[in-house]
Amino acid sequence: MSDATLHDTTQNPDDFVVQIADQVESFLVAVTEVAKADEPESAVPFLLLEISQILLAGGRLGAHEDIVPEERYEPDPGPEPDVDELRETFARLLDPIDVYSEVFDPYEPRRAPVPARLSDDLADIITDLRHGMAHYRAGRTTEALWWWQFSYFSNWGPTASAVLRALQSVLIHVRLNQPLEELDGLDTDQAAMGDETLEFEAGRVMAEEIGAPLGIRPGK
């Protein structure tokens, strides 16, 4: 299958793999457009929408029975596209809110939250989804589904869920006019945060400050 047959009219649009591939392709195109920063004021709402939609595809993959690849070893999909430029663009675009805190496993008791970056997470999600798309475009549809399902469980699914919660938190703070507390130097290269540090996790940003550059208006 070549690039030209990604949306081949001979394919059944009801096929599970076609639907997932369409959702993945739509997400990749959309977030790449956001990264161009042509409309920085709509970045957070748009990313919230796109992450929500790709998590729908992930949910379908997660609920599906285990997908078994046709070959024992994964075929080489070729060189991975460089995402460093996208990562840096998102870091600049989301600078006031880039660092956030996340708990990796909510079922593991007393697991301390750790700092993460939206820009890193978005780049990781894009990398995983592009990897599966390379298989799909090469005609290895079962391999593509296997990869998207496996990486949904192992990486991009939990990562996208964390990003979604962070973006929701930004909107909640701004729309409900709830100021965020001071960061006091927290960054992702620091050790795990304790309870006293969590109140500073959002950065030295007030809702009024992030509302204007990100195009979100505080509630009355």
Side-chain angles (χ1 to χ4, degrees), residues 36-85:
K36 292 180 180 178
D38 292 335
E39 299 181 13
E41 69 281 356
S42 62
V44 168
F46 199 24
L47 286 172
L48 178 72
L49 176 62
E50 294 303 323
I51 289 291
S52 298
Q53 290 179 337
I54 198 59
L55 279 172
L56 173 59
R60 296 181 67 195
L61 288 163
H64 198 280
E65 63 184 7
D66 287 349
I67 298 165
V68 180
E70 297 171 352
E71 302 179 30
R72 182 176 180 182
Y73 299 102
E74 182 186 6
D76 184 3
E80 298 283 357
D82 187 9
V83 295
D84 284 346
E85 184 175 350

Side-chain angles (χ1 to χ4, degrees), residues 125-183:
I125 296 166
I126 291 167
T127 297
D128 278 348
L129 296 178
R130 280 179 173 176
H131 187 94
M133 186 58 71
H135 286 309
Y136 183 82
R137 286 174 169 154
R140 299 185 291 268
T141 55
T142 303
E143 194 75 32
L145 278 178
W146 169 81
W147 172 259
W148 283 326
Q149 185 187 62
F150 167 76
S151 57
Y152 168 75
F153 287 126
S154 64
N155 187 48
W156 76 261
T159 301
S161 296
V163 170
L164 179 66
R165 289 193 298 273
L167 294 174
Q168 285 175 327
S169 180
V170 172
L171 288 172
I172 289 168
H173 279 288
V174 174
R175 296 283 173 84
L176 300 183
N177 198 20
Q178 297 174 347
L180 299 172
E181 298 296 336
E182 186 176 347
L183 175 61

Side-chain angles (χ1 to χ4, degrees), residues 175-197:
R175 296 283 173 84
L176 300 183
N177 198 20
Q178 297 174 347
L180 299 172
E181 298 296 336
E182 186 176 347
L183 175 61
D184 196 23
L186 180 68
D187 205 345
T188 54
D189 59 357
Q190 291 183 231
M193 295 179 287
D195 291 340
E196 293 182 358
T197 313

Side-chain angles (χ1 to χ4, degrees), residues 6-130:
L6 179 60
H7 304 287
D8 193 336
T9 56
T10 63
Q11 292 180 288
N12 185 347
D14 293 328
D15 285 350
F16 182 68
V17 65
V18 174
Q19 294 176 358
I20 296 298
D22 282 347
Q23 288 179 280
V24 169
E25 179 74 2
S26 176
F27 174 82
L28 293 174
V29 170
V31 294
T32 301
E33 288 299 312
V34 173
K36 292 180 180 178
D38 292 335
E39 299 181 13
E41 69 281 356
S42 62
V44 168
F46 199 24
L47 286 172
L48 178 72
L49 176 62
E50 294 303 323
I51 289 291
S52 298
Q53 290 179 337
I54 198 59
L55 279 172
L56 173 59
R60 296 181 67 195
L61 288 163
H64 198 280
E65 63 184 7
D66 287 349
I67 298 165
V68 180
E70 297 171 352
E71 302 179 30
R72 182 176 180 182
Y73 299 102
E74 182 186 6
D76 184 3
E80 298 283 357
D82 187 9
V83 295
D84 284 346
E85 184 175 350
L86 275 173
R87 189 191 315 273
E88 293 169 3
T89 299
F90 279 125
R92 292 192 298 269
L93 186 63
L94 303 172
D95 178 60
I97 56 168
D98 197 23
V99 177
Y100 71 101
S101 64
E102 169 61 4
V103 177
F104 287 120
D105 189 345
Y107 283 101
E108 185 172 338
R110 296 178 297 279
R111 184 67 178 265
V114 297
R117 285 188 179 276
L118 291 173
S119 54
D120 290 340
D121 290 347
L122 288 167
D124 286 348
I125 296 166
I126 291 167
T127 297
D128 278 348
L129 296 178
R130 280 179 173 176

